[in-house]
Structure formats: C-alpha cells, structure tokens
Amino acid sequence: KNESEDSCSAAPRKRTPLPSVADPPAAMCRPFPPSAPSPLSSRARLPRPNSLAKIDESQTASPKELQQGLDAVGSGTDSPDVRRSSGLQSLTNDSSSWAPGQHASALPTGVFTPQTLVYILVWYVTGALTNSTSKQSLQQFEKGRAPWMSLTLMQHVCATAAGTFALRVAGLRRYKELPASAQTWGFYRMVLVYSLGFCMTNGAFGAVNASFVDTVKAGEPLATMLLTVLFLSDAPPVTLPIFLSLLPIVGGVSISAMAEASFSWVGFSLALGSNICNAARSICAKMLKTELGRNMDNASLFLHVNYYGVLLLLPAVLFFEGPILVSLFRAGGKPARLFCLNGLLYYINNQMNFLVLEKVDAVTHGLINCGRRVANIGFAIVWFGIPVTMYNGLGIGLALLGAFLYMKAKQMSVPSRATPSARTAASKAQ
C-alpha cells in the first residue's frame, strides 16, 4: 500500500514501467472531480430530470406524488401531466357524452391539427344526429308508450357488436380483456349509473322537445359539483368563479323550463335525473380502487361497459316493456331502421369523442363539448321545426353561457405548470 501511494505522488519518470498490481497507473489514483460522473456508475450517465433537480430528503412523498413519479418515469417524460389518457381517467371528468378524460396534448393550447378538426366536426355531426334519431325513433310510438328503455338497450347492443368487430375482428386497436380485479361492486355500480343515465336521457327525449332536453343537460356541472363535494373527501375546493358560473346555468334552465311549450314534469325530471346519473358516473369512476385505469384504454372500456349494460338492461326491458325489439324487427319498416341507425350513430359519436380526447387536454375537451351542446340544440330546432320564443332563446343562451364559464373557471383553478425551459430560465434568474 505504501509503495502504491509513493508511486502516485512521485514525479513522472522518463521511462514508464509496465503497470502491475503493486504499481497502478497514476490515472487510476487520481480522484474524479466533483463535476464529472464516475464511468463505473451507470446511473451517473443518465440525465437528471428537471422535476427532481431539488429534493428535500427530509420530507416524505405522498402516495399521489409517488404514483405521479412512476407515471412520469414510465412515460419517459419530465412531467406526470404529459401522458396518454387511460380508460378509467376517461370516466372521471365531464361526463355529458361518454366521459372525457384527463389527457395533456403535446400541442400548445388552442392549436388544432387538421386531423383533430375533422374529428371534432364528425363528433358534432354524429352527436346531433344521435339525439335527433333518438327523438325520431320514439316518435314512431304513441306518446306515453315510447319504449325508451328498449332504445337504450339497442344502443348498448350496437355499441357492443360494433366495438367487438372493430377491436377483435378488424383489429383497429388492441383489444384488452377486463381484468379480474376490476370486476368489483364499484365497477358494476358505475355500469348501473351509466346505463340508467342514458335510459333517462332517452326517456326525456320521448316526453319533451330535444332542444329542451339538451338545455336541461347543460346544467350537469351543477350536479357534478354537488356530488363531488358530498362524496369525495379529497375533492378540490369550489372556487368563487366556479360557484358564480353555476348561477346562469340555474337561471337559464329555469327560464327555459317556464317558456317551454312541450314542458312536462316527467320529461323535466328524467332530464334532471340523467344529469345526476352522469355526474354519479364520474364519482363512481374516481372511487374505483383497482388497476383498471392503467390497464384499460377508452375503446376497450367502452366495449366492456356496454356489454355489461346489455346484461343489466335486458331483464328490466323484458319486465317493463316486453320483447318489443323482437316485434319491431319482425315488422321491419322505418322504426326498425331508425333504431339500428341510432345505435350505430351512438357508437360512432363516442368513438369520435375518444379520438378528440386523445388530441386535446381535458379542459379544452370540455369547452369543445359546450360547442357540441350548442350544435345539438340548433340542429334539433331546425330539424323538428321547434318554435323558439324570446324567453326560450334567453334561457338556452344563459344555460350555455354558464356551461362555458364553468369550464373556463375550472381552467383558471388548475395551477399552471411551467415548461422545462421556463423553469430553467427562472432558476437562472434567481
């Protein structure tokens, strides 16, 4: 040992002897400078993420922070906010259509590619046609005897058949089995409120004008906020802008209800009930304690939910409405064609919803959905020739304005996250 230390500290010789165990080269004796990583460490060659640049080792990370860190590492990004949306996350936000989820787009806010614009256009068109054909299908029957539960069952059957063909036959996307750990009471409860919500929506279409149903359904944020506060202990606080945005929704729905020519308490109650069910669907999805969110995507989850929805609705339909679908398809004609067309449009509309969700973030998706509501109301007024009074227009306008302000208020309540370059510039300035 003493000989090796002497050889390292001694002046360089003219003739360098061959290295040996007793006389290691001087380069091996020099310590690495603090700024240079050791080549013997594989971790030293990995870039250090910006989000981990400053760590207080005295603090303990919460389970949510640990999960966000794992998601960021798994996705290869620096921030847990930039990752693909999972099927479960698609059930936890604005639920007016299927259920927009949490997804951050790589594009700047407000920038849409031509492909995204096409998806939005098809989503708008199929959404308006789905609602209109629902109303038309139920108009083929006597008022008060419209089989709205059978129509919902037909939508679920078409979605299950089309989804199975798209995933398992055509192979448009990878089919994913429902994990055994996900088949819990929480999942079946979510399927229950999902199917019940669409049943009530179709029931409202059979009782009142389609434009009035969409106006009432614009008040869904109110139900979502109330159920979130009541049942989610970790829910974010309701800010003043969010609370104020709900006032024009309440006022608009009230004015529209008083001025609606086709108003009936049955239709109004069913539309309100659909809002509660859609909001409850989001709450049930957030309360699921399974691996469903990481193991399932939108398309596969939509297929499974509709499949179990068929199993749930079939006994209820047979009990309350009888085998009306069998009689309908035996007779053929316009009602059978409308039922099939409505089920197909229901499936395509939700698929476009998923494609838009994969291109934009959740708040932008909610704002686009407000525009979809406007398109649905406008199309229904023109298609069915619904007379619109001044009070009707005022109520519709206030309700839609409140829905738009609600999404903007949610956008304001989300803390802004700086980009890596912005964080670097800020650190240099300090």
Side-chain angles (χ1 to χ4, degrees), residues 155-409:
Q155 290 175 340
H156 283 35
V157 169
C158 288
T160 303
T164 301
F165 177 81
L167 298 182
R168 309 196 70 173
V169 179
L172 298 181
R173 287 197 174 189
R174 181 184 174 186
Y175 171 76
K176 297 183 179 180
E177 294 281 354
L178 187 67
S181 60
Q183 300 184 28
T184 61
W185 160 240
F187 174 75
Y188 298 128
R189 178 179 56 192
M190 183 184 66
V191 174
L192 173 63
V193 295
Y194 171 81
S195 300
L196 188 58
F198 274 97
C199 279
M200 290 187 172
T201 299
N202 290 327
F205 281 134
V208 295
N209 288 333
S211 59
F212 179 62
V213 175
D214 271 307
T215 303
V216 176
K217 286 180 68 63
E220 186 178 322
L222 179 61
T224 302
M225 188 201 71
L226 291 176
L227 293 184
T228 300
V229 172
L230 291 175
F231 295 102
L232 290 182
S233 57
D234 57 345
V238 180
T239 62
L240 181 61
I242 291 179
F243 176 78
L244 294 178
S245 68
L246 299 175
L247 298 181
I249 296 179
V250 175
V253 172
S254 301
I255 295 174
S256 182
M258 290 187 295
E260 177 60 36
S262 66
F263 177 84
S264 71
W265 283 107
V266 174
F268 182 66
S269 301
L270 288 173
L272 288 180
S274 69
N275 285 349
I276 296 175
C277 289
N278 290 336
R281 181 180 66 203
S282 300
I283 304 300
C284 291
K286 290 179 181 179
M287 294 172 66
L288 283 179
K289 304 298 183 182
T290 66
E291 299 294 319
L292 185 61
R294 289 187 291 272
N295 297 337
M296 192 66 58
D297 59 4
N298 286 325
S300 296
L301 180 59
F302 182 67
L303 172 60
H304 293 304
V305 168
N306 279 274
Y307 170 73
Y308 282 98
V310 171
L311 301 181
L312 175 69
L313 284 175
L314 185 58
V317 168
L318 293 176
F319 180 79
F320 289 104
E321 297 179 352
I324 192 169
L325 287 179
V326 178
S327 304
L328 187 71
F329 285 104
R330 279 183 177 177
K334 185 178 179 180
R337 291 195 299 269
L338 283 173
F339 267 62
C340 290
L341 178 61
N342 177 258
L344 182 61
L345 288 170
Y346 162 83
Y347 173 75
I348 297 175
N349 178 54
N350 282 284
Q351 297 307 309
M352 291 300 106
N353 182 18
F354 301 153
L355 293 175
V356 174
L357 177 61
E358 292 173 356
K359 299 294 183 181
V360 300
D361 59 86
V363 176
T364 303
H365 188 281
L367 295 176
I368 297 172
N369 192 52
C370 291
R372 187 184 67 90
R373 187 81 65 194
V374 176
N376 290 349
I377 294 175
F379 185 85
I381 291 174
V382 175
W383 186 264
F384 295 103
I386 301 172
V388 180
T389 65
M390 180 184 68
Y391 293 104
N392 285 132
L394 179 62
I396 292 172
L398 280 176
L400 295 176
L401 176 63
F404 175 79
L405 294 177
Y406 173 79
M407 295 307 304
K408 295 297 291 184

